[in-house]
Amino acid sequence: MERDPAVLKKVSVSLPFGLGSAEWEADQTERHAAWSLYVELVTRISVQPLGQEEGIFREALDSLYSLFETTREILKEAGPDVGASCNSVGGIAIAVLNQGLRPFLTKWHPSLEVWETQRPDGVSSKEHEKQWSEEPELRKDLEVLGKELNKYAQALAQVAGVEN
């Protein structure tokens, strides 16, 4: 059965980062923006667990940081119909960036940058990160952030009308 893209769809979602929940009727523009945000989010390391011997923190943080530009572009392209209230795709996306990602990146980007400048010649980035005293805390914070971003991805999937 084909869905009429012009029909409003009532959604009720649980939000990450202590943002509570939201309920509203999402239109085609919001569903399309939610899908675009969902695809960007779930195809990044940000929602995948970073195993003890996997990945490099710089790459993970850069991927997370790039969500700001990607989200801005998606929201600008979608226009004002995606909204800015807490009961809209636009408002939720902005809140996730400002209340979820920004505090994490503000804490970890500068700390990691300072550590990176101390890397001796001949030592790989990965090995140098493993020697960092703050490595376990960053790994733990990344795991917590990933769980919150998974909640966000689930909410986006629900708004987009896809199963997650």
Side-chain angles (χ1 to χ4, degrees):
M1 176 202 248
E2 214 172 291
R3 287 188 272 178
D4 180 356
V7 173
L8 298 177
K9 177 187 174 206
K10 187 159 192 147
V11 292
S12 180
V13 294
S14 295
L15 302 173
F17 304 108
L19 298 172
S21 62
E23 184 174 293
W24 77 99
E25 291 184 356
D27 64 13
Q28 180 183 9
T29 302
E30 284 190 293
R31 289 197 316 265
H32 180 68
W35 173 250
S36 295
L37 291 165
Y38 171 79
V39 169
E40 286 293 332
L41 189 62
V42 299
T43 57
R44 295 170 187 271
I45 197 167
S46 55
V47 295
Q48 305 300 322
L50 189 63
Q52 195 66 29
E53 298 299 319
E54 296 175 346
I56 296 174
F57 289 132
R58 171 55 55 209
E59 291 173 1
L61 294 184
D62 288 348
S63 179
L64 289 167
Y65 182 75
S66 72
L67 285 172
F68 280 86
E69 183 62 28
T70 302
T71 300
R72 286 184 200 110
E73 289 305 313
I74 291 169
L75 295 181
K76 286 190 295 189
E77 184 177 313
D81 289 343
V82 294
S85 75
C86 61
N87 289 330
S88 69
V89 168
I92 292 167
I94 291 166
V96 165
L97 291 180
N98 289 330
Q99 296 174 36
L101 279 177
R102 188 176 308 279
F104 175 88
L105 291 171
T106 300
K107 174 182 178 181
W108 287 111
H109 251 293
S111 296
L112 181 57
E113 185 175 20
V114 167
W115 179 249
E116 288 170 330
T117 64
Q118 299 171 28
R119 182 167 60 101
D121 290 339
V123 175
S124 72
S125 297
K126 187 173 182 171
E127 188 59 38
H128 187 61
E129 283 182 358
K130 287 168 75 173
Q131 297 170 6
W132 188 28
S133 64
E134 295 185 57
E135 187 267 351
E137 184 182 354
L138 173 52
R139 187 170 297 282
K140 181 179 150 225
D141 284 359
L142 262 175
E143 185 179 329
V144 170
L145 181 73
K147 288 177 183 175
E148 292 299 303
L149 290 174
N150 270 315
K151 288 181 196 174
Y152 179 42
Q154 290 170 4
L156 291 169
Q158 192 173 345
V159 174
V162 297
E163 294 298 317
N164 183 7

